[in-house]
Amino acid sequence: MLTVAIKKTKRGVKRRSSPKANPLSSPNGARFAEAAACLAEIGRGFYERGWVLGTSGNFSAVISREPLRLAITSTGLDKSGLTPAQFLEMDNAANVVRGDGRPSAEALLHLAIVRGADAGAVLHTHSVWSTVLSGSHASQGGIALEGYEMLKGLEGVRTHKHREWLPILENSQDMIELGERVSKTLRESPGIHGFLLREHGLYTWGAGLQEAKRHVEILEFLMEVLVRSGAAQSA
């Protein structure tokens, strides 16, 4: 597609054609397109497993560190048919710099995790299991996962004897305040791989998308085991 540039001359106005800029040739363009495609595929898979029903859940990936830029889901989407076109590029203040729509208010939590955990991707699911456990164990401040072979799939974990602490944070509509509590949690518990929001869902992350996806699968598996086995009563 061509656009028309206007050049003034002594004899009047001369019209000159010039190529329209390709958005994928701009800084971060190719990385944004790749991240959006991968995130859309992951989101559809999570929907099929019952982890992001309705319009729940949101996903992001870092596409640039300097300046900080994230590819992130637009708000209010049905994840069953998630497409790359439904992703936005967001800056370090949660402003949209590419795409149509707006990110969820929880975008501030993604930024807090990227900064606090040096994450390359952040995935938020909203399963039955995380909702049940985050409500029943909120008074304990979290839930311990220990003795399960699946724990060895978490980055840096080498034995099933590992004790993974999954903090539970009180949910809030004030995302600035909640983001500050997320940052504090990450400072105080630097080895964790995720946390729960009370009666809301799971946030986890990784150095990249595949690591973050693996962490979701492991933590969702273990939470389902606790609920189905009744072990959550003593966890």
Side-chain angles (χ1 to χ4, degrees):
M1 184 180 295
L2 298 179
T3 56
V4 176
I6 304 298
K7 180 180 179 181
K8 289 188 177 181
T9 68
K10 290 183 179 179
R11 295 188 177 184
V13 175
K14 182 179 181 180
R15 303 175 79 83
R16 182 181 65 202
S17 295
S18 62
K20 185 177 180 180
N22 181 350
L24 295 185
S25 67
S26 62
N28 300 330
R31 290 190 294 272
F32 173 80
E34 181 180 4
C38 291
L39 286 164
E41 181 180 3
I42 287 171
R44 293 191 301 270
F46 285 178
Y47 175 88
E48 291 173 357
R49 300 177 80 163
W51 296 341
V52 286
L53 300 178
T55 61
S56 66
N58 40 67
F59 322 119
S60 71
V62 174
I63 59 173
S64 170
R65 292 285 181 182
E66 293 292 340
L68 183 60
R69 295 287 188 269
L70 276 68
I72 192 166
T73 36
S74 185
T75 191
L77 299 176
D78 176 353
K79 306 306 187 296
S80 66
L82 196 59
T83 70
Q86 294 173 313
F87 284 81
L88 311 168
E89 183 179 337
M90 181 180 76
D91 68 13
N92 64 352
N95 298 312
V96 175
V97 298
R98 187 196 306 267
D100 298 320
R102 60 184 178 85
S104 163
E106 294 170 17
L108 294 178
L109 305 188
H110 288 248
L111 288 169
I113 295 167
V114 165
R115 293 177 179 130
D118 195 27
V122 180
L123 303 176
H124 167 46
T125 51
H126 196 161
S127 67
V128 171
W129 322 112
S130 63
T131 304
V132 170
L133 288 176
S134 63
S136 63
H137 286 68
S139 63
Q140 301 171 31
I143 189 163
L145 304 169
E146 187 173 13
Y148 294 99
E149 187 71 14
M150 281 289 278
L151 287 166
K152 291 163 63 176
L154 298 175
E155 189 64 23
V157 176
R158 299 290 178 263
T159 173
H160 69 283
K161 295 180 180 179
H162 169 77
R163 184 179 188 271
E164 180 72 18
W165 179 248
L166 202 57
I168 299 172
L169 282 65
E170 192 68 33
N171 197 15
S172 173
Q173 296 303 302
D174 183 343
M175 291 300 150
I176 295 177
E177 183 274 335
L178 182 53
E180 291 172 351
R181 281 193 282 125
V182 167
S183 297
K184 180 181 178 183
T185 298
L186 294 173
R187 287 194 303 270
E188 294 176 347
S189 305
I192 62 173
H193 295 84
F195 62 83
L196 297 170
L197 294 182
R198 183 177 183 179
E199 297 179 338
H200 184 159
L202 169 72
Y203 272 88
T204 189
W205 52 86
L209 269 173
Q210 292 309 308
E211 184 176 300
K213 175 177 176 285
R214 188 176 79 242
H215 289 171
V216 170
E217 292 174 342
I218 290 164
L219 293 174
E220 287 287 1
F221 172 90
L222 292 172
M223 288 188 291
E224 183 174 351
V225 167
L226 288 180
V227 174
R228 287 185 179 273
S229 67
Q233 300 304 316
S234 58

